[in-house]
């Protein structure tokens, strides 16, 4: 069964802390994505990657960075968390070229206090 | 600029009746469309898709209709069941471009 695994389901961090959110997929997908979901705003794309060591900014990249050293792993980094980064973070992966849909992980609920 | 719009943030339907969720898009380059379902504290799961060469795709209780001239698609669920209560996201894509998601509609099925 196809899987996208996110390392943590729930995280609570203090303002200013550094946070790593890890995502691993076992489908050999080229494309990987990080979204955040907030009520009324839907799924907003933070960063995505079409290949190892490649990254592109999505719609809301400010305050975030990413790392993709291996094909199966895509990490989201919050260098210095702020309360407005409290959200549900969702990782997804998809095939390269023509995309027929993404497979999502279960999400990480991050609370910044 | 929202390329994919779900104008109804919520919808309440009686169990056994039909649920109709709507979605509008602006980019005529989109050529495939998807619906995802999301429960609280879980990631979205793929529900059904449709290519722009079709105007209807059916999978069990779920049917997606596409009206290209109106740039509109809808998801019909019949009959609606309690387990259908969730947030539904419409999404669209074209070629190798990334998928664009709408803001979601929260569907509540009441007994």
């Amino acid at each position: 069964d196809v899987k996208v695994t996110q390392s943590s389901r729930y995280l609570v961090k203090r303002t200013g802390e550094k946070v790593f959110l890890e995502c691993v997929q076992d489908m050999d997908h080229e494309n990987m994505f990080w979204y955040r979901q907030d009520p009324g705003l839907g799924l907003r794309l933070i960063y995505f990657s079409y290949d190892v060591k490649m990254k592109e900014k999505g719609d809301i990249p400010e305050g975030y960075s990413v790392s993709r050293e291996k094909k199966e792993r895509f990490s989201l980094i919050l260098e210095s968390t702020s309360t407005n980064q409290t959200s549900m973070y969702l990782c997804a992966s998809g095939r390269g070229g023509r995309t027929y849909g993404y497979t999502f992980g279960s999400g990480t609920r991050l609370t910044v206090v | 600029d929202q390329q994919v719009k779900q104008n109804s943030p919520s919808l309440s339907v009686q169990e056994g009746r039909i649920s109709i969720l709507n979605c509008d898009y602006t980019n005529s380059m989109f050529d495939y469309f998807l619906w995802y379902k999301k429960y609280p504290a879980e990631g979205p799961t793929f529900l059904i898709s449709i290519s722009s060469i079709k105007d209807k795709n059916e999978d069990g209780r779920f049917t997606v209709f596409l009206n290209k001239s109106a740039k509109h698609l809808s998801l019909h669920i019949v009959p609606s069941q309690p387990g259908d209560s969730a947030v539904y996201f419409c999404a669209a894509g074209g070629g190798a471009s990334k998928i664009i998601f709408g803001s979601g509609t929260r569907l509540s099925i009441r007994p």
Side-chain angles (χ1 to χ4, degrees), chain B residues 3-43:
Chain B
Q3 297 187 64
V4 178
K5 298 179 184 179
Q6 294 178 256
N7 292 317
S8 298
S10 63
L11 176 67
S12 179
V13 174
Q14 192 167 20
E15 182 178 356
R17 299 290 186 103
I18 184 171
S19 296
I20 301 176
L21 294 92
N22 294 301
C23 179
D24 297 296
Y25 62 96
T26 57
N27 189 339
S28 58
M29 298 302 291
F30 288 145
D31 61 3
Y32 63 99
F33 305 88
L34 312 96
W35 285 94
Y36 281 80
K37 176 180 179 179
K38 185 182 184 301
Y39 293 120
E42 294 184 14

Side-chain angles (χ1 to χ4, degrees), chain B residues 18-93:
Chain B
I18 184 171
S19 296
I20 301 176
L21 294 92
N22 294 301
C23 179
D24 297 296
Y25 62 96
T26 57
N27 189 339
S28 58
M29 298 302 291
F30 288 145
D31 61 3
Y32 63 99
F33 305 88
L34 312 96
W35 285 94
Y36 281 80
K37 176 180 179 179
K38 185 182 184 301
Y39 293 120
E42 294 184 14
T45 55
F46 170 77
L47 191 57
I48 192 169
S49 65
I50 187 167
S51 163
S52 61
I53 63 173
K54 294 185 175 182
D55 54 18
K56 176 183 174 181
N57 188 27
E58 191 173 352
D59 184 2
R61 296 186 298 113
F62 302 90
T63 303
V64 56
F65 294 92
L66 176 62
N67 182 334
K68 288 186 289 294
S69 60
K71 294 190 176 67
H72 177 83
L73 67 155
S74 60
L75 175 69
H76 293 210
I77 306 172
V78 55
S80 300
Q81 298 175 354
D84 296 330
S85 294
V87 176
Y88 290 79
F89 291 100
C90 170

Side-chain angles (χ1 to χ4, degrees), chain A residues 9-10 33 35 37 40-43 45 48 50 88 90 97-102 104-107, chain B residues 31-32 34 36 38 41-44 46 49 51 87 89 94-99 101-104:
Chain A
R9 292 299 301 271
Y10 300 95
F33 308 84
Y35 290 87
Q37 185 203 359
L41 298 177
L43 300 175
L45 183 63
F48 60 104
Y50 285 147
M88 168 71 91
L90 293 159
R98 185 171 182 80
T99 303
Y100 289 93
Y102 302 160
F104 282 86
S106 298
Chain B
D31 61 3
Y32 63 99
L34 312 96
Y36 281 80
K38 185 182 184 301
E42 294 184 14
F46 170 77
S49 65
S51 163
V87 176
F89 291 100
S97 300
K98 60 186 185 293
I99 292 173
F101 288 86
S103 55

